[in-house]
Short mmCIF file of all heavy atoms in Angstrom, two decimals:
data_model
loop_
_atom_site.label_atom_id
_atom_site.label_comp_id
_atom_site.label_asym_id
_atom_site.label_seq_id
_atom_site.Cartn_x
_atom_site.Cartn_y
_atom_site.Cartn_z
N MET A 62 91.55 123.54 138.83
CA MET A 62 92.56 122.58 139.28
C MET A 62 91.97 121.20 139.45
O MET A 62 92.52 120.34 140.08
CB MET A 62 93.16 123.05 140.62
CG MET A 62 92.25 123.03 141.80
SD MET A 62 93.15 123.44 143.30
CE MET A 62 92.02 122.88 144.56
N ALA A 159 82.11 119.19 138.79
CA ALA A 159 81.09 120.19 138.49
C ALA A 159 81.61 121.58 138.79
O ALA A 159 82.44 121.79 139.70
CB ALA A 159 79.81 119.94 139.30
N VAL A 167 83.54 110.12 142.84
CA VAL A 167 83.62 108.89 142.07
C VAL A 167 82.71 107.84 142.71
O VAL A 167 82.42 107.87 143.90
CB VAL A 167 85.08 108.38 141.98
CG1 VAL A 167 85.98 109.40 141.32
CG2 VAL A 167 85.62 107.99 143.34
N ALA A 168 82.29 106.89 141.87
CA ALA A 168 81.43 105.80 142.35
C ALA A 168 81.77 104.53 141.59
O ALA A 168 82.10 104.58 140.41
CB ALA A 168 79.96 106.16 142.16
N GLU A 180 101.56 113.92 146.57
CA GLU A 180 101.86 115.05 147.45
C GLU A 180 100.98 116.23 147.06
O GLU A 180 101.14 116.79 146.00
CB GLU A 180 103.35 115.40 147.35
CG GLU A 180 104.29 114.30 147.86
CD GLU A 180 104.14 114.03 149.33
OE1 GLU A 180 103.82 114.98 150.07
OE2 GLU A 180 104.33 112.88 149.74
N TYR A 184 94.54 111.50 142.61
CA TYR A 184 94.32 111.02 141.25
C TYR A 184 93.25 109.92 141.30
O TYR A 184 93.01 109.28 142.34
CB TYR A 184 95.60 110.40 140.67
CG TYR A 184 96.78 111.33 140.71
CD1 TYR A 184 97.57 111.44 141.85
CD2 TYR A 184 97.14 112.10 139.60
CE1 TYR A 184 98.64 112.30 141.91
CE2 TYR A 184 98.24 112.94 139.64
CZ TYR A 184 98.98 113.04 140.80
OH TYR A 184 100.06 113.88 140.85
N ALA A 237 108.65 100.68 134.75
CA ALA A 237 108.19 99.34 134.43
C ALA A 237 107.08 99.36 133.39
O ALA A 237 106.87 98.39 132.67
CB ALA A 237 107.71 98.63 135.70
N LYS A 249 108.42 94.53 123.86
CA LYS A 249 109.08 94.62 125.18
C LYS A 249 108.60 93.50 126.09
O LYS A 249 109.36 92.86 126.79
CB LYS A 249 108.77 95.98 125.79
CG LYS A 249 109.22 96.13 127.25
CD LYS A 249 108.77 97.46 127.79
CE LYS A 249 109.15 97.61 129.26
NZ LYS A 249 108.03 97.46 130.17
N TYR A 283 90.94 68.87 152.16
CA TYR A 283 89.98 69.37 151.20
C TYR A 283 90.37 68.96 149.76
O TYR A 283 89.55 68.49 148.98
CB TYR A 283 89.84 70.90 151.29
CG TYR A 283 89.12 71.49 150.10
CD1 TYR A 283 87.74 71.37 149.96
CD2 TYR A 283 89.82 72.16 149.07
CE1 TYR A 283 87.08 71.88 148.85
CE2 TYR A 283 89.17 72.67 147.97
CZ TYR A 283 87.80 72.53 147.87
OH TYR A 283 87.16 73.04 146.77
N ARG A 285 92.14 66.53 148.71
CA ARG A 285 91.94 65.11 148.45
C ARG A 285 90.47 64.78 148.21
O ARG A 285 90.15 63.81 147.51
CB ARG A 285 92.47 64.27 149.64
CG ARG A 285 93.99 64.16 149.69
CD ARG A 285 94.46 63.09 150.65
NE ARG A 285 94.18 63.45 152.06
CZ ARG A 285 95.00 64.14 152.82
NH1 ARG A 285 96.18 64.53 152.35
NH2 ARG A 285 94.69 64.42 154.07
N VAL A 315 92.57 64.31 138.70
CA VAL A 315 91.29 64.91 139.02
C VAL A 315 90.61 65.31 137.72
O VAL A 315 91.28 65.70 136.77
CB VAL A 315 91.45 66.16 139.94
CG1 VAL A 315 92.27 67.23 139.28
CG2 VAL A 315 90.09 66.68 140.40
N ILE A 341 90.63 82.22 135.95
CA ILE A 341 91.87 82.78 135.45
C ILE A 341 91.57 84.07 134.72
O ILE A 341 90.78 84.08 133.76
CB ILE A 341 92.58 81.77 134.49
CG1 ILE A 341 92.79 80.42 135.19
CG2 ILE A 341 93.94 82.33 134.05
CD1 ILE A 341 93.44 79.36 134.34
N ALA A 357 79.47 80.40 140.76
CA ALA A 357 80.03 79.30 141.54
C ALA A 357 79.93 79.58 143.02
O ALA A 357 79.60 78.66 143.81
CB ALA A 357 81.52 79.12 141.13
N ILE A 358 80.14 80.81 143.44
CA ILE A 358 80.06 81.15 144.86
C ILE A 358 78.64 80.95 145.37
O ILE A 358 78.40 80.40 146.44
CB ILE A 358 80.51 82.63 145.06
CG1 ILE A 358 82.03 82.74 144.79
CG2 ILE A 358 80.18 83.10 146.48
CD1 ILE A 358 82.52 84.17 144.77
N ARG A 377 89.14 89.93 145.73
CA ARG A 377 88.30 90.19 146.89
C ARG A 377 87.14 89.21 146.94
O ARG A 377 86.57 88.98 148.04
CB ARG A 377 87.78 91.62 146.86
CG ARG A 377 88.89 92.64 147.02
CD ARG A 377 88.30 94.05 147.27
NE ARG A 377 87.57 94.53 146.11
CZ ARG A 377 88.10 95.20 145.12
NH1 ARG A 377 89.39 95.45 145.10
NH2 ARG A 377 87.38 95.63 144.12
N VAL A 393 97.75 95.20 124.35
CA VAL A 393 96.44 94.56 124.40
C VAL A 393 96.58 93.04 124.19
O VAL A 393 95.90 92.25 124.84
CB VAL A 393 95.49 95.17 123.35
CG1 VAL A 393 94.23 94.32 123.20
CG2 VAL A 393 95.14 96.60 123.76
N GLN A 440 114.49 82.30 126.95
CA GLN A 440 115.56 83.16 126.48
C GLN A 440 116.21 82.60 125.25
O GLN A 440 116.59 83.34 124.32
CB GLN A 440 116.62 83.35 127.58
CG GLN A 440 117.68 84.36 127.21
CD GLN A 440 117.13 85.72 126.92
OE1 GLN A 440 116.42 86.32 127.72
NE2 GLN A 440 117.42 86.25 125.70
N GLN A 441 116.33 81.28 125.16
CA GLN A 441 116.87 80.66 123.95
C GLN A 441 116.01 80.97 122.73
O GLN A 441 116.53 81.12 121.63
CB GLN A 441 117.06 79.16 124.17
CG GLN A 441 118.13 78.78 125.15
CD GLN A 441 118.30 77.28 125.25
OE1 GLN A 441 118.51 76.55 124.25
NE2 GLN A 441 118.21 76.76 126.48
N ILE A 449 113.14 84.11 113.22
CA ILE A 449 111.70 84.19 113.23
C ILE A 449 111.19 85.41 112.50
O ILE A 449 110.19 85.37 111.75
CB ILE A 449 111.22 84.17 114.70
CG1 ILE A 449 111.62 82.83 115.36
CG2 ILE A 449 109.70 84.34 114.77
CD1 ILE A 449 111.41 82.83 116.86
N LEU A 475 95.70 77.34 119.41
CA LEU A 475 94.64 78.32 119.58
C LEU A 475 95.18 79.69 119.97
O LEU A 475 94.80 80.74 119.40
CB LEU A 475 93.65 77.85 120.64
CG LEU A 475 92.83 76.60 120.35
CD1 LEU A 475 91.98 76.22 121.55
CD2 LEU A 475 91.92 76.81 119.14
N ILE A 484 96.57 91.19 116.12
CA ILE A 484 97.43 92.30 115.83
C ILE A 484 97.76 92.48 114.32
O ILE A 484 98.16 93.57 113.91
CB ILE A 484 98.76 92.22 116.61
CG1 ILE A 484 99.55 90.96 116.27
CG2 ILE A 484 98.47 92.28 118.12
CD1 ILE A 484 100.92 90.93 116.86
N GLU A 490 93.49 80.63 112.15
CA GLU A 490 92.64 79.63 112.79
C GLU A 490 93.52 78.58 113.45
O GLU A 490 94.47 78.07 112.84
CB GLU A 490 91.76 79.00 111.75
CG GLU A 490 90.78 77.95 112.29
CD GLU A 490 89.89 77.38 111.21
OE1 GLU A 490 89.82 77.94 110.10
OE2 GLU A 490 89.23 76.35 111.49
N LYS A 523 101.81 61.78 115.35
CA LYS A 523 100.51 61.79 114.72
C LYS A 523 100.30 63.10 113.91
O LYS A 523 99.74 63.09 112.82
CB LYS A 523 99.40 61.68 115.79
CG LYS A 523 99.26 60.29 116.39
CD LYS A 523 98.09 60.22 117.30
CE LYS A 523 97.88 58.83 117.86
NZ LYS A 523 96.71 58.73 118.77
N VAL A 541 107.42 73.66 114.77
CA VAL A 541 108.02 74.15 116.00
C VAL A 541 108.30 72.93 116.87
O VAL A 541 107.38 72.23 117.30
CB VAL A 541 107.05 75.11 116.76
CG1 VAL A 541 107.77 75.79 117.90
CG2 VAL A 541 106.48 76.16 115.81
N PRO A 586 98.86 98.86 114.02
CA PRO A 586 99.02 99.47 115.33
C PRO A 586 99.06 98.37 116.40
O PRO A 586 98.06 98.12 117.09
CB PRO A 586 97.77 100.35 115.45
CG PRO A 586 96.76 99.67 114.61
CD PRO A 586 97.52 99.03 113.46
N LYS A 589 97.65 98.69 119.95
CA LYS A 589 96.26 99.16 120.05
C LYS A 589 95.42 98.61 118.91
O LYS A 589 94.92 99.36 118.06
CB LYS A 589 96.21 100.69 120.06
CG LYS A 589 96.89 101.31 121.27
CD LYS A 589 96.89 102.84 121.21
CE LYS A 589 97.91 103.35 120.22
NZ LYS A 589 97.97 104.84 120.21
N LEU A 593 89.49 96.30 120.02
CA LEU A 593 89.82 95.46 121.18
C LEU A 593 90.18 96.33 122.39
O LEU A 593 90.74 97.40 122.25
CB LEU A 593 90.96 94.50 120.86
CG LEU A 593 90.72 93.51 119.70
CD1 LEU A 593 91.94 92.63 119.50
CD2 LEU A 593 89.47 92.67 119.97
#
Side-chain angles (χ1 to χ4, degrees):
M62 66 176 197
V167 300
E180 295 296 329
Y184 306 83
K249 172 185 176 256
Y283 167 74
R285 284 193 292 271
V315 62
I341 305 178
I358 292 170
R377 294 192 295 272
V393 169
Q440 186 59 56
Q441 290 183 54
I449 297 170
L475 294 175
I484 61 172
E490 183 178 346
K523 288 186 176 181
V541 190
K589 297 178 284 184
L593 300 180

